[in-house]
Amino acid sequence: MFNGTVNRTHEIDSSQYNYLALVFGVLLIVAIILGNVLVCLSVFIERSLKTATNYFIVSLAVADLLLAVLVLPLYVYTEFQGGIWTLNIFLCDVLMTMDVMLCTASIFNLCAISVDRYIAVIVPLKYNRNHFSGRQLVLIIATWLLSLGVASPVIFGLNNVPNRDVTDCKLENGTFVVYSSICSFFVPCPIMLLLYYGMFRGLKRWGESRITTLPAQEHQLSFKLRPSKGERQVVKYLVPNLSPTAAKNIPKSDLITTQLDNTSDVETPEGAKVGTPKENGLVSRQGLGKGALGRSRRVNGRERKAMKVLPIVVGLFLACWTPFFVVHIMKVLCEACTIGSMLISVVTWLGYVNSAVNPIIYTAFNTEFRKVFQKLLRCQTCAGP
C-alpha cells in the first residue's frame, strides 16, 4: 500500500534487478496463500469450526488471500525491476486501489474480530458462539464496504495528476495518503487497543470473583427452582464444606447463585464439576440435561483460552503496521525529512508480512484448527506421488 520510490531512471539495467525481493516475495505469496486457504478449507469442511468467531477469521483470510493473489505479484514484479513501473498506467491505478482496499479490509477485519471478542467477553449472556447472527453479518459486510469506500477515490481518477511520472506507481495525492492512513490505521488501532484493554479488565474482574466464589474445598449443591417462562433455570449454590442436609439451614443471603441454561458451547469453570442431582442429594424431574452447561456473567473456558493470545495479536499487529503508516504520514507531512526508497520498501514488506502472520495468530493457537490443519496436510501428502 502507498508504495513509492524516488530518483528512478527510465531504463532498466540487469544490474538493477532485485533478486532478493523476488525470492522473498514468492515465498511470502506462497505462505499467505497456503495459510489462508487452510483456514478457509478448515472452516468449510469441519462442522465444529463453523462458529461465529471463525466466520470473522474467514473474512480476514479472504482479504489476505486476495492481497496475495491480486496485489503482491505485481508489487514483487515492480520490486524485482528495481522499483520501476513498466506496465500500463491504468493497471497501476487498479493496483493501488486493490492495495489500499485489501490492506484496509485486513485491518478492519482484525478490528471486527476484536469487537466480536469484546462482546463475547463482556456480554456473554447475549453472545451465542455457535450461531452466526445478523449483527455479525452486518459487521463483516461493513468492513468490506468501508474498505471499498476508503480506496475508491484512486480508481476514480485521484492519481491522474499533471506531469505524473509513469515509471513510478504510487499514490500521487498526499492528502489522500493522510486520509487513507487515518481511516485504515489511526482510527481502527485505538479502537482495537481499547477493546482489548476492556477484555483484559473483564477477565481480571472475572478471575477475582471466581477466586472469591470458588474456594478450593467447596461443595456444589444444585437446587431446582420454578422455571421461568420459555426456559428452565437452575440455581447453583456454592457453599464451602457444607453437607446437603445442612443446606436447608443456610439463609438465602449467604448463598451464591449462578444462572444456567442449555447453551452447548459454554464450558464449566476449571476445577469445578457439576454434580448430578443424585450426587448433590437432590432429585429433579428432568435433571441436568447433557447440554445444560453454565452461562452467567463470566467468561467461558474457550474465551479464556482465546484471550491468552491477545498480547501476541496486538504486538504483531502494531509491529507490522505502525512503521508503515508512520513513515508514509511523515513522507507527506514532513517535507524536510529525508525518507529513502529503501525504508519505504522495508516498511511496505513488513505490512504485507502481517497477512502471512494472521493465520498463525488466529489458528495455530487453536487446538481444533491445528487438528484440521494436520488432517488436511496429511491428506495432501498421501495424495501426492
Side-chain angles (χ1 to χ4, degrees):
M1 191 195 300
F2 318 152
N3 54 300
T5 58
V6 295
N7 298 326
R8 291 185 171 88
T9 59
H10 291 268
E11 297 181 359
I12 300 175
D13 194 301
S14 60
S15 62
Q16 293 177 318
Y17 289 158
N18 190 339
Y19 291 96
L20 178 61
L22 178 63
V23 173
F24 180 76
V26 171
L27 292 176
L28 181 61
I29 290 173
V30 171
I32 293 175
I33 292 176
L34 178 61
N36 288 287
V37 165
L38 282 175
V39 170
C40 296
L41 284 177
S42 298
V43 176
F44 179 75
I45 67 174
E46 188 67 25
R47 185 175 181 181
S48 64
L49 292 178
K50 297 181 185 296
T51 65
T53 300
N54 290 342
Y55 283 115
F56 283 97
I57 294 178
V58 167
S59 179
L60 172 65
V62 169
D64 292 335
L65 190 59
L66 290 175
L67 183 73
V69 173
L70 301 178
V71 174
L72 274 177
L74 287 175
Y75 178 74
V76 172
Y77 172 77
T78 305
E79 287 290 290
F80 174 68
Q81 299 275 19
I84 299 176
W85 182 258
T86 61
L87 304 175
N88 184 276
I89 198 65
F90 177 75
L91 185 59
C92 170
D93 291 344
V94 173
L95 174 64
M96 290 293 98
T97 302
M98 297 300 297
D99 196 3
V100 174
M101 176 185 169
L102 294 174
C103 288
T104 303
S106 181
I107 296 173
F108 280 4
N109 274 290
L110 290 172
C111 192
I113 290 173
S114 68
V115 173
D116 179 72
R117 295 294 81 222
Y118 180 82
I119 295 173
V121 170
I122 303 302
V123 198
L125 288 174
K126 296 183 180 180
Y127 184 85
N128 188 338
R129 194 176 188 274
N130 288 329
H131 178 65
F132 188 65
S133 68
R135 182 196 72 244
Q136 292 156 333
L137 178 62
V138 168
L139 194 56
I140 289 177
I141 293 176
T143 62
W144 285 95
L145 291 179
L146 288 173
S147 302
L148 177 61
V150 170
S152 59
V154 180
I155 200 63
F156 289 126
L158 188 71
N159 258 9
N160 295 330
V161 297
N163 302 319
R164 179 179 179 181
D165 184 1
V166 295
T167 67
D168 189 1
C169 185
K170 64 177 182 179
L171 292 176
E172 302 288 345
N173 190 300
T175 302
F176 179 78
V177 172
V178 175
Y179 150 78
S180 57
S181 297
I182 292 173
C183 293
S184 301
F185 181 77
F186 291 105
V187 170
C189 183
I191 291 175
M192 288 179 61
L193 293 177
L194 287 174
L195 290 173
Y196 285 140
Y197 175 71
M199 283 184 243
F200 278 120
R201 284 180 61 88
L203 286 170
K204 184 178 179 181
R205 287 195 300 268
W206 182 88
E208 291 172 350
S209 91
R210 182 174 179 271
I211 292 173
T212 303
T213 59
L214 293 176
Q217 301 297 326
E218 71 186 6
H219 289 284
Q220 300 185 10
L221 303 176
S222 297
F223 293 88
K224 182 176 182 301
L225 297 183
R226 179 179 298 177
S228 62
K229 185 177 180 180
E231 68 173 340
R232 181 169 61 87
Q233 293 182 339
V234 175
V235 176
K236 183 191 297 179
Y237 292 86
L238 305 176
V239 184
N241 303 316
L242 184 66
S243 65
T245 56
K248 299 178 181 178
N249 300 323
I250 302 298
K252 290 183 178 180
S253 59
D254 293 336
L255 301 177
I256 303 170
T257 63
T258 301
Q259 183 180 356
L260 305 178
D261 69 0
N262 60 352
T263 303
S264 61
D265 196 42
V266 181
E267 300 177 4
T268 56
E270 299 173 1
K273 296 181 180 180
V274 179
T276 63
K278 184 176 180 180
E279 291 170 341
N280 290 327
L282 299 167
V283 179
S284 65
R285 287 182 301 182
Q286 298 177 348
L288 291 175
K290 184 177 180 180
L293 300 175
R295 185 176 75 174
S296 66
R297 301 193 71 83
R298 64 173 175 81
V299 184
N300 64 53
R302 198 174 277 186
E303 304 303 336
R304 294 197 306 277
K305 293 175 183 177
M307 293 305 104
K308 293 179 180 179
V309 303
L310 286 183
I312 302 174
V313 171
V314 176
L316 288 177
F317 171 79
L318 293 177
C320 289
W321 285 115
T322 301
F324 176 86
F325 286 100
V326 169
V327 166
H328 283 85
I329 285 286
M330 288 181 59
K331 188 172 183 290
V332 174
L333 299 181
C334 181
E335 297 181 358
C337 299
T338 302
I339 300 177
S341 59
M342 178 62 71
L343 177 60
I344 293 177
S345 294
V346 169
V347 297
T348 302
W349 281 114
L350 193 58
Y352 289 141
V353 165
N354 187 248
S355 295
V357 171
N358 286 334
I360 299 174
I361 297 175
Y362 287 94
T363 60
F365 294 95
N366 185 303
T367 305
E368 293 177 338
F369 266 109
R370 284 204 305 270
K371 290 179 180 178
V372 179
F373 279 12
Q374 292 170 1
K375 182 168 65 175
L376 287 172
L377 292 174
R378 280 199 301 268
C379 288
Q380 292 176 0
T381 303
C382 294

